[in-house]
Amino acid sequence: DVILDCQGHTIDGTDASNTYGIYVYRDSATKTNITIKNCVLTDWDNGIYLYYSYFNTLTNIIANSNGNGIYLIGSYFNTLTNITANSNGCGISLTDSSSYNTLTNIIANYNYEGLSLYYASSNTLTNIIANSNWYSGLSLYSSDSNTLTNITANSNYYYGILLDYSNSNTIKNSKFQDN
């Protein structure tokens, strides 16, 4: 039950490996109920890192020029809204059973990958813009039963959307166009 309100201030890193702008780590799945809002994170290996953290809210976040803008590992039931993640290795990454998360109003441009889901199922992504990323706007690897609505992924170098060993995903009102 923590609220971190950066009030628009920047948490600036040093472009070093294994660094974290905001780091939330639990040894096992834990309801952490943390709100992180109004933050700008730049020059970290991971701008925001959630590990086995549940029921968190990230809102009004800018994560630019990081290895990963926002990185969730094994984290469930999180809400990410009004996020801009540009010029990162990956804008937003959900991995290792990060499921039942809701991502709304996301902009992820000029990254290696805009958004990537690895073994991340049953997530809801709505109002996503992922343009001009080097590899893909949106990548799903072994990620099933996700719902994607109002996604725009244009001018990505290789893929607008990549579905690799991913099944039963629902895609509605979306536009994917490669470069």
Side-chain angles (χ1 to χ4, degrees), residues 9 51 53 55 58 68 70 78-79 86 92 116 125 139 155 160:
H9 293 284
Y51 187 90
S53 297
F55 295 100
L58 282 63
N68 292 297
I70 299 175
N78 296 291
T79 301
N86 295 334
I92 299 175
S116 64
L125 287 73
S139 298
S155 300

Side-chain angles (χ1 to χ4, degrees), residues 143-178:
S143 296
D144 302 329
S145 302
N146 295 288
T147 301
L148 296 87
T149 307
N150 296 332
I151 312 295
T152 301
N154 294 322
S155 300
N156 296 288
Y157 193 76
Y158 285 104
Y159 304 102
I161 183 170
L162 172 64
L163 300 169
D164 189 14
Y165 295 102
S166 297
N167 300 299
S168 302
N169 292 290
T170 302
I171 302 171
K172 301 183 283 187
N173 301 327
S174 297
K175 179 182 176 186
F176 303 101
Q177 182 177 343
D178 295 340

Side-chain angles (χ1 to χ4, degrees), residues 11-150:
I11 301 173
D12 195 0
T14 60
D15 283 323
S17 296
N18 298 315
T19 59
Y20 308 88
I22 297 172
Y23 182 82
V24 179
Y25 180 93
R26 297 292 183 253
D27 288 332
S28 61
T30 305
K31 181 178 179 181
T32 50
N33 198 33
I34 296 171
T35 298
I36 301 168
K37 62 183 181 178
N38 305 317
C39 298
V40 178
L41 298 117
T42 60
D43 303 320
W44 299 96
D45 193 18
N46 295 284
I48 297 177
Y49 182 86
L50 300 180
Y51 187 90
Y52 287 126
S53 297
Y54 293 8
F55 295 100
N56 301 294
T57 300
L58 282 63
T59 188
N60 299 325
I61 305 292
I62 298 172
N64 295 339
S65 300
N66 302 288
N68 292 297
I70 299 175
Y71 194 23
L72 278 64
I73 299 176
S75 296
Y76 287 73
F77 300 108
N78 296 291
T79 301
L80 285 71
T81 59
N82 301 326
I83 308 290
T84 299
N86 295 334
S87 301
N88 300 285
C90 185
I92 299 175
S93 182
L94 282 64
T95 65
D96 299 329
S97 300
S98 288
S99 299
Y100 304 103
N101 296 292
T102 302
L103 286 73
T104 307
N105 299 332
I106 308 294
I107 298 171
N109 299 329
Y110 308 107
N111 302 287
Y112 178 79
E113 285 183 300
L115 289 89
S116 64
L117 282 66
Y118 295 88
Y119 299 96
S121 298
S122 301
N123 295 289
T124 302
L125 287 73
T126 307
N127 298 332
I128 310 294
I129 298 171
N131 296 331
S132 301
N133 296 287
W134 190 82
Y135 187 69
S136 69
L138 180 61
S139 298
L140 280 71
Y141 304 94
S142 299
S143 296
D144 302 329
S145 302
N146 295 288
T147 301
L148 296 87
T149 307
N150 296 332

